[in-house]
Amino acid sequence: MDVTHILESLNDPQRQAVTAADNNVLVLAGAGSGKTRVLVHRIVWAVQMMGMSPYSVLAVTFTNKAAAEMKARIETLLQIPVGGMWVGTFHGLAHRILRAHHSEAGLPKNFQILDSDDQLRIIKRILRDYQIDESKWPAKQAQWYINNKKDEGMRAQNLDAGGDFNEQMWIKIYQNYEQVCNQSGLVDFAEILLRAHEIWLKKPDLLAHYRRRFRHVLVDEFQDTNTIQYAWLRLLTGGQNKIFAVGDDDQSIYGWRGAKVENITNLEKDYPGLEIIRLEQNYRSTGNILNAANALIEKNPNRMGKKLWTAGEDGEPIKFYTAYNEHDEARFVVGVVQQWVQDGNRRQDCVILYRSNAQSRVLEEALMMESMPYRIYGGMRFFDRAEIKDALAYLRVISSQLDDAALDRIINTPPRGIGEKTLQSIRAIALKENISYWDALVFIIETEAVPARALKALKKFHELISELIVVADDSALDELLVTVIQQSGLVEYFQKEKGEKGKSRVENLQELVGAVKEFESDDEPTDFDDPALQDLDPLSVFLAYTALESGDSQVDPDDDYVQLMTLHSAKGLEFPLVAIVGMEEGLFPSERSTYEPSKLAEERRLCYVGMTRAKKQLFLTAAEHRRLYGRESYPTVSRFVHELPGDIVVDVRPRAMVSRPLTASSSGFKQSSSSQPFQIGQSVNHDKFGEGVILSYEGDGSHARVQVNFYQVGMKWLVLAYANLSQA
DNA sequence: CGCGTCGTGGTTTTT
DNA sequence: CCACGACGCG
């Protein structure tokens, strides 16, 4: 059989990983070393060369984006539809299992998924119902507690407060929360994983079935797995089955949300004979960027150990700019992008990275000032917008009248005269009689247990929902949704809302109708075409889809805007030009991580992740003076900057005292500097523009041009022969 | 019920 | 500093 299509274009270690025997394999894949390629080619190899059925492969990722990319690439390479293959996120796959075996899992057929916002609302309600002091036991912390325990595989019944009163209360809240979810047929994200794990423990036949089916289990971003995910993988790969894990301990940046880097080292213990393969050749960044990143990450203890290298050029040095304040910093970065665009490049190829979202504001102001198109990556998912969630809550109530959380949300949205007082009566009865809100509402109407005015409002609401349930029975989803947003009064309500906000809300509702239509007609295979879902009503399937997929629309390739995002959300992406702002002690590394070595190490990995996003140009900036949260601070430069090799980092601050001696050692740049009177990083004087610092350099002889960042007028390109620069 | 005021708290995020 | 939630009034 011709295998060249699988193996060509792979380097030696990549090939070794792809063609490894039917064994447990850990691929330590450095940033930009082609890990997705290895994963995809391994699957194709297993199917075409090891005689595996495509249906015996399970590949799991963390994000829908990664899963979609993998599916697309498998399809291209295998030339068969990937439809029946189990490629998806941990949550997506676990969800499939729960759907297929809902009764064994103790769930109603049409159970629904809570997002973290729904979850928080339920917890808040519990705190109120039981009159728990929210200043002592804040809902946010309760949520954090519950999710943490679930991520660790713990149920409320497994927990022991050991006489600790606080702990007792957390457990009590957890217990009540579990009860509410069970009664309403709701599962949160952590619950999906926990239940999928428990069902295998409780039903050995089921586990055996899945073990028989999935002979090959592949895991992406293995360093991000948490306790329950690892336990789930361990169960599935028990016995004969092999695991093929791809990860990078140096890119573990989610320890704070339960990810266990240790799972990488556990792998060696738990899978004897584990074959470890390192991918260290990088196809993304210049030599200088890699050398700097390597030097930084070497400061971390307890690494598996890895050193990225490239066959490519050293490229330009890394540029470090010390700004006077955050506005100056923003101006500088915008100037860098403007220059990049003037040189004929796309804004799309630039990214500005920051440690915390609060830093984006000043950057946005500077971008707007220069009319530079930009876009903030991340933020709200489409399906998380309030108006969308309102519409979806109607659908949820139509789908299941047990869903108290959804009913609670819409009973007075838009306002229809069902006030807090009436709601309290409903809750009280539901709690006392142990029935759903819907049944409590029916009970109140029957017994006329509230004042006439409220009663009328309740009757009207009851009528509305009842009618919609009928509509749901014999309409397509999109027709139902159109009816829902009209009849409920949502559209009318948002139309009346003044300003742009109301307008965009109505537009979003319209877009939701579009999303439903697309979902109905979608011929792309998705997790939601699974046979397990076929005898489930389309409404429930759509609702599950909205909970598990972000609903982010694809970027328009015609648009050209600079991207802004946090360092965390940049993981997995790459850009020719990267600027990391706020390289200051207390900000990055964040103050709260400086006390604990393990947290500091994670910050350093975050910095490593940020730096290794850059393909060609890397800018780092810090401000001498910063206002954050209305407080003034005079931070010092981040330790991470000092940990970079001085000879490949250039200070580009105008008029600054050059704190870093310039010993240009990297090739391309040494050449030009040695034959020319000026060096990158050097301070110079210009008759008209005043003082500045040389940023970069191109050409030689009479064509030589230098890029200078002037204190007064900003960035300029000057032809050296005419500029008449003098040393400052 | 909607609007205003006051008070507080504010890494990082996907599912 | 500013966004969001709790509270009180018209």
Side-chain angles (χ1 to χ4, degrees), chain A residues 173-226:
Chain A
I173 297 167
Y174 184 4
Q175 231 161 19
N176 281 308
Y177 171 76
E178 272 184 319
Q179 205 200 334
V180 168
C181 289
N182 285 334
Q183 280 188 357
S184 317
L186 298 169
V187 294
D188 59 51
F189 290 124
E191 183 73 28
I192 294 176
L193 301 177
L194 181 55
R195 245 180 232 243
H197 180 246
E198 285 174 346
I199 196 179
W200 279 348
L201 284 181
K202 276 192 298 210
K203 311 273 171 187
D205 322 352
L206 258 181
L207 176 59
H209 163 80
Y210 283 99
R211 278 184 173 175
R212 265 196 308 277
R213 170 155 178 193
F214 296 117
R215 304 299 317 281
H216 242 60
V217 177
L218 298 97
V219 192
D220 188 22
E221 304 274 18
F222 188 79
Q223 77 283 350
D224 289 337
T225 52
N226 65 25

Side-chain angles (χ1 to χ4, degrees), chain A residues 65 235 257 303 306 348 389 461 481 524-525 687 726:
Chain A
K65 202 176 153 209
L235 269 187
R257 66 173 200 210
R303 297 174 54 228
K306 216 172 349 74
Q348 278 285 8
K389 295 211 63 179
F461 176 72
L481 180 60
E524 290 282 301
D687 295 345
S726 61

Side-chain angles (χ1 to χ4, degrees), chain A residues 341-359:
Chain A
V341 174
Q342 255 174 55
D343 291 347
N345 302 297
R346 299 184 316 158
R347 281 183 281 268
Q348 278 285 8
D349 291 339
C350 305
V351 72
I352 306 173
L353 301 177
Y354 36 81
R355 176 65 239 265
S356 94
N357 289 308
Q359 290 168 261

Side-chain angles (χ1 to χ4, degrees), chain A residues 323-326 584-586 622-628 631-637:
Chain A
Y324 299 93
N325 55 39
E326 69 272 24
E584 297 144 33
E585 284 293 304
E624 284 179 329
H625 171 221
R626 184 178 295 272
R627 251 181 126 121
L628 199 63
R631 291 210 175 288
E632 309 243 329
S633 67
Y634 295 85
T636 56
V637 170

Side-chain angles (χ1 to χ4, degrees), chain A residues 407 411 416 418 441 457-465:
Chain A
L407 191 89
I411 191 163
R416 51 171 67 88
I418 302 175
L441 185 150
L458 282 183
K459 276 182 177 160
K460 219 172 149 204
F461 176 72
H462 182 264
E463 204 176 311
L464 169 70
I465 299 297

Side-chain angles (χ1 to χ4, degrees), chain A residues 333-499:
Chain A
V333 173
V334 175
V336 165
V337 178
Q338 278 174 327
Q339 186 60 58
W340 171 264
V341 174
Q342 255 174 55
D343 291 347
N345 302 297
R346 299 184 316 158
R347 281 183 281 268
Q348 278 285 8
D349 291 339
C350 305
V351 72
I352 306 173
L353 301 177
Y354 36 81
R355 176 65 239 265
S356 94
N357 289 308
Q359 290 168 261
S360 72
R361 182 183 228 92
V362 181
L363 292 165
E364 288 184 72
E365 282 166 10
L367 287 161
M368 280 191 284
M369 199 91 86
E370 298 294 320
S371 328
M372 162 100 51
Y374 69 93
R375 217 170 133 161
I376 295 187
Y377 185 95
M380 267 251 166
R381 304 180 333 152
F382 177 73
F383 293 125
D384 280 347
R385 288 163 203 261
E387 61 277 15
I388 300 301
K389 295 211 63 179
D390 291 338
L392 293 176
Y394 275 94
L395 296 182
R396 272 169 55 180
V397 172
I398 292 164
S399 165
S400 161
Q401 289 84 60
L402 293 179
D403 192 338
D404 290 353
L407 191 89
D408 194 44
R409 184 180 183 108
I410 56 156
I411 191 163
N412 202 32
T413 311
R416 51 171 67 88
I418 302 175
E420 192 51 36
K421 198 92 199 225
T422 316
L423 257 168
Q424 268 173 21
S425 321
I426 294 177
R427 286 195 191 118
I429 289 172
L431 210 59
K432 198 167 122 239
E433 304 295 327
N434 207 17
I435 55 176
S436 69
Y437 286 5
W438 177 258
D439 287 339
L441 185 150
V442 172
F443 180 81
I444 287 178
I445 292 174
E446 280 169 358
T447 56
E448 306 196 340
V450 291
R453 224 171 122 134
L455 188 68
K456 203 175 151 205
L458 282 183
K459 276 182 177 160
K460 219 172 149 204
F461 176 72
H462 182 264
E463 204 176 311
L464 169 70
I465 299 297
S466 305
E467 277 170 17
L468 290 173
I469 292 171
V470 175
V471 174
D473 273 341
D474 43 31
S475 320
L477 263 184
D478 58 307
E479 291 163 2
L480 172 65
L481 180 60
V482 171
T483 316
V484 162
I485 60 177
Q486 295 299 338
Q487 303 284 351
S488 64
L490 274 181
V491 170
E492 197 190 346
Y493 177 66
F494 289 130
Q495 258 161 4
K496 272 192 286 189
E497 200 177 355
K498 52 186 184 289

